[in-house]
Amino acid sequence: MEVIITPSAGEASAEAARIVAALIRAKPRAVLGLATGSTPLGFYDALAEMHARGEVDFSQVTTFNLDEYTGLAPDHPRSYARFMQEHFFSRVNIAPGRIHIPDGLARDIPAHCEAYEAAIREAGGIDVQLLGIGSDGHIGFNEPSSSLGSRTRLKTLTERTIRDNARFFASPEEVPRHVITMGVRTILDARRCLVLAFGDAKAAAVAAMAEGPVTADVPASALQLHASCALLVDEEAAARLKRAEYYRWVYANKPAWQRTPQAQRP
Ligand code: F6R
C-alpha cells in the first residue's frame, strides 16, 4: 500500500481529485466507485471546481456508490443518494443513467445485490474506487467480522458506526440499522483504490489497516492485498503509523515518472 502523508486534508483531497481527473482524461468512459460521509467532501469540491474550469468532463463516466441505508428512499434527506446529488452529481455533468447507488427500498435485497454486482461487471469493472474508513476499520459498510471474500449484500451496522453516523440524523435511534454495501471482494476487484482518512479519530484504524495483520477484524486491512492501493492521510490520521518516516522518504524520492497522475492510472 502506498501511504501518502499530506499536511492537510485539503491537500490529500486535491491530490485524489487530480488522480481521478487524470484517469478520466486518459479514459473518458472511466468507471468510478464513490463513497459518502464527511471524508470525501473536499475531494468532491475539488473535482467540481476542476469541472467548472473545464478541466474534466464527466459526460461518459459511469459511477457506482459503495452503499446505501435500507429503508430510506433516494430523496430522503439522509439517504446517500441525496448526499451524492447535493455534494457531487448536481455539480458535474454525469449522465443520470450512468449513476448507480444501491436502492435502499429494494424489495428483494439479495436479487438487487446480485444485479448491482452484474451491473459493475457489465460496465467493465471499477477503474478507481474511492474509500473512507470507519473508526472501527470498516470500508464500505463492511463492519468488523465481514468476510474478506464478500460481495454486495445486506449488513447490520455496529453500535459504534451508528454512534459515529448519528451526527447526520436527529438522534442515534433514527440511524437505520441496516445497509446495502459492496463487499470487501467487490472493492478489491477495483483496478485501483484510493483511501482518504483525516483527523485523529481515524489514526488507530489507519494504523491497523496499513500496518496490522490482514484480518476480518479490520476489514480495511484487506487492502494490503490490493496491488494498487494508495492511502492519503493528513498528519493527525497518520499519527499512529510506525513507518511514517519511511512513507515520507518514499514519497520524497519518487521517480518523476511516478509523480505524474497519468502514470498512476490503472
Ligand atoms: C461511506 C462509506 C463509509 C465511510 C466511513 C467513514 O459511503 O462507505 O465506509 O467512508 O464510514 O465515514 P466518514 O467519512 O463520515 O468519517
Side-chain angles (χ1 to χ4, degrees):
M1 187 180 299
E2 180 183 19
V3 182
I4 302 171
I5 302 171
T6 60
S8 71
E11 279 162 77
S13 302
E15 176 67 6
R18 276 194 295 273
I19 292 170
V20 170
L23 167 74
I24 295 169
R25 278 183 222 114
K27 184 178 179 183
R29 298 179 70 86
V31 179
L32 309 183
L34 298 177
T36 56
S38 305
T39 307
L41 291 174
F43 166 81
Y44 291 134
D45 285 345
L47 275 184
E49 283 159 20
M50 286 170 134
H51 174 68
R53 291 195 298 265
E55 293 168 11
V56 58
D57 170 21
F58 292 89
S59 60
Q60 297 181 68
V61 164
T62 296
T63 65
F64 287 90
N65 263 77
L66 283 164
D67 36 33
E68 179 60 283
Y69 291 114
T70 60
L72 301 192
D75 61 352
H76 186 286
R78 300 290 163 242
S79 75
Y80 284 155
R82 179 86 171 258
F83 174 101
M84 290 305 299
Q85 203 53 43
E86 274 170 25
H87 294 287
F88 189 48
F89 297 146
S90 61
R91 305 164 71 191
V92 296
N93 63 334
I94 297 182
R98 293 186 198 269
I99 292 171
H100 303 82
I101 302 178
D103 178 1
L105 296 183
R107 280 175 180 270
D108 183 343
I109 290 178
H112 179 64
C113 294
E114 260 183 52
Y116 203 71
E117 290 278 332
I120 294 173
R121 283 195 303 276
E122 277 155 28
I126 292 172
D127 290 304
V128 61
Q129 175 67 58
L130 184 79
L131 295 158
I133 179 172
S135 61
D136 64 1
H138 69 226
I139 44 172
F141 276 123
N142 296 283
E143 296 284 33
S145 80
S146 288
S147 161
L148 302 187
S150 52
R151 295 273 168 200
T152 303
R153 70 210 183 293
L154 183 83
K155 283 297 292 180
T156 307
L157 297 178
T158 59
E159 290 186 352
R160 180 168 181 180
T161 299
I162 289 170
R163 270 201 314 277
D164 284 351
N165 288 5
R167 66 189 192 281
F168 297 112
F169 292 80
S171 70
E173 289 66 43
E174 279 186 29
V175 182
R177 270 32 184 173
H178 298 107
V179 290
I180 295 173
T181 179
M182 281 185 202
V184 178
R185 185 70 252 170
T186 319
I187 292 168
L188 292 179
D189 278 351
R191 293 183 186 92
R192 182 160 170 78
C193 287
L194 293 179
V195 189
L196 298 177
F198 308 132
D200 52 9
K202 299 293 173 73
V206 161
M209 160 175 60
E211 296 177 338
V214 174
T215 166
D217 214 33
V218 182
S221 66
L223 292 167
Q224 291 177 31
L225 300 172
H226 197 284
S228 182
C229 176
L231 165 64
L232 295 106
V233 284
D234 63 5
E235 295 287 350
E236 289 77 20
R240 293 175 72 165
L241 287 168
K242 288 194 303 267
R243 299 188 189 281
E245 285 319 309
Y246 177 62
Y247 305 139
R248 291 184 217 278
W249 166 258
V250 170
Y251 194 65
N253 288 285
K254 253 186 157 187
W257 64 269
Q258 277 192 341
R259 286 187 174 275
T260 59
Q262 281 83 352
Q264 297 175 3
R265 72 175 190 263

